[in-house]
Amino acid sequence: MWAGQGHSLALGDVMVLLKAVGASEFVGCTPAFCESHGLRYKAMVEIRKLRIQLTNELNLLIPNLNLSVDPALEPPTDLQAKLIRQVLLMGFSDHIAKKMTDEERCSQTENAIAKNAYKSMEVDGPVFIHPNSVLSSKQPPFVLYQEIFETSRMFMRVVAEVEPEWLPVYAPKYCTFSPPLEEPPPRYDHKSDKVLCFVTATFGPHAWQMEAVEQEFPESLDKFRWFARFLLQGDVLPFFEKYSKLLLSP
């Protein structure tokens, strides 16, 4: 109920925290409400102060914005939840964990590791989604987390789901990219005015294999060769299309 569905559910524990803050603000952030819902009153007060501070900063930076702190703020829409997930990925790109495959679980120890184990970028041993997390039953292939703490196991705290195709886009710092693939071939994109190509990538210190993604062609002589081809065959400027049949090669 707290997490919702779609991207809201994928936002995981972060969505639960957002809704808890929103509910507290809606009723006036009273000590009684916080106590009855398991919230720390002082934390809710600090969050309100931070919201006011951020709002004031935005009003100073953006003329005529006239933004105010709305105590009856609606929960994030599905699109907003998706965007929040992407922002979180950019901020926690070094806190990514991948669910271990059966082969990985059986090859690393004589005793089989539990099926719900994850491999983190930070620690050598297996880590787990805490049973209290809203994502504990879903067990997504990739997750991000705020921190890891240890009790009977190594657990991840404040977990959100990550789409694997987002990693090369929003966390390229931790990716190793292949040269541009021949298939599908590069193309010129009118909207971005860029030559795009498909590449494969591995992510993180464990070299997790990512699927092919489309991105801007890397800076090289080949990039200019491809651009010249697209220019002369009329993809960039339609004016040249009538001369494309005169090219020595397509």
Side-chain angles (χ1 to χ4, degrees):
M1 180 182 70
W2 279 93
Q5 299 295 326
H7 285 290
S8 294
L9 176 59
L11 190 51
D13 302 328
V14 179
M15 176 57 81
V16 175
L17 294 174
L18 284 174
K19 287 191 174 182
V21 171
S24 173
E25 286 290 300
F26 185 78
V27 299
C29 190
T30 64
F33 177 87
C34 292
E35 182 178 357
S36 63
H37 289 80
L39 304 175
R40 287 198 306 116
Y41 174 69
K42 288 185 177 180
M44 295 298 105
V45 172
E46 288 300 317
I47 290 172
R48 171 181 283 184
K49 291 179 180 178
L50 182 59
R51 287 185 65 199
I52 294 173
Q53 180 182 348
L54 291 174
T55 301
N56 291 336
E57 290 295 329
L58 286 172
N59 285 325
L60 287 174
L61 292 172
I62 305 176
N64 303 318
L65 181 61
N66 298 323
L67 190 65
S68 61
V69 177
D70 184 4
L73 190 65
E74 292 290 332
T77 64
D78 196 60
L79 175 59
Q80 289 171 337
K82 175 183 177 181
L83 296 175
I84 293 173
R85 291 174 62 202
Q86 293 172 345
V87 170
L88 285 172
L89 174 55
M90 288 186 281
F92 289 90
S93 56
D94 58 342
H95 285 196
I96 304 296
K98 175 183 178 294
K99 190 173 183 181
M100 298 177 70
T101 64
D102 292 340
E103 292 77 13
E104 290 171 332
R105 290 189 298 105
C106 295
S107 64
Q108 294 189 10
T109 179
E110 295 180 359
N111 299 319
I113 301 174
K115 287 186 177 181
N116 56 356
Y118 283 76
K119 185 69 175 177
S120 166
M121 296 173 64
E122 289 189 291
V123 298
D124 293 329
V127 297
F128 300 85
I129 297 178
H130 196 274
N132 290 339
S133 170
V134 296
L135 292 177
S136 61
S137 59
K138 188 178 182 182
Q139 299 290 320
F142 284 87
V143 297
L144 62 82
Y145 55 88
Q146 180 183 6
E147 61 181 354
I148 293 175
F149 67 100
E150 185 174 7
T151 54
S152 58
R153 289 177 170 179
M154 301 285 283
F155 287 108
M156 297 177 284
R157 193 196 308 272
V158 188
V159 178
E161 184 176 353
V162 171
E163 306 299 333
E165 62 268 23
W166 290 354
L167 293 172
V169 179
Y170 299 107
K173 176 181 177 181
Y174 297 99
C175 288
T176 301
F177 294 100
S178 72
L181 302 179
E182 294 183 2
E183 292 293 336
R187 68 181 181 90
Y188 173 75
D189 181 66
H190 286 274
K191 186 175 182 180
S192 62
D193 190 28
K194 294 178 180 178
V195 177
L196 304 180
C197 66
F198 278 89
V199 296
T200 58
T202 58
F203 181 82
H206 306 298
W208 295 324
Q209 186 65 48
M210 302 287 105
E211 294 185 2
V213 294
E214 192 175 37
Q215 63 176 24
E216 185 176 1
F217 204 105
E219 294 296 331
S220 65
L221 183 59
D222 283 339
K223 178 179 182 178
F224 295 100
R225 288 171 175 164
W226 277 104
F227 180 79
R229 173 178 175 175
F230 296 136
L231 176 66
L232 294 175
Q233 68 186 22
D235 293 336
V236 181
L237 297 174
F239 168 79
F240 286 100
E241 185 176 3
K242 59 185 177 182
Y243 300 108
S244 60
K245 60 183 179 181
L246 302 177
L247 296 176
L248 295 179
S249 62

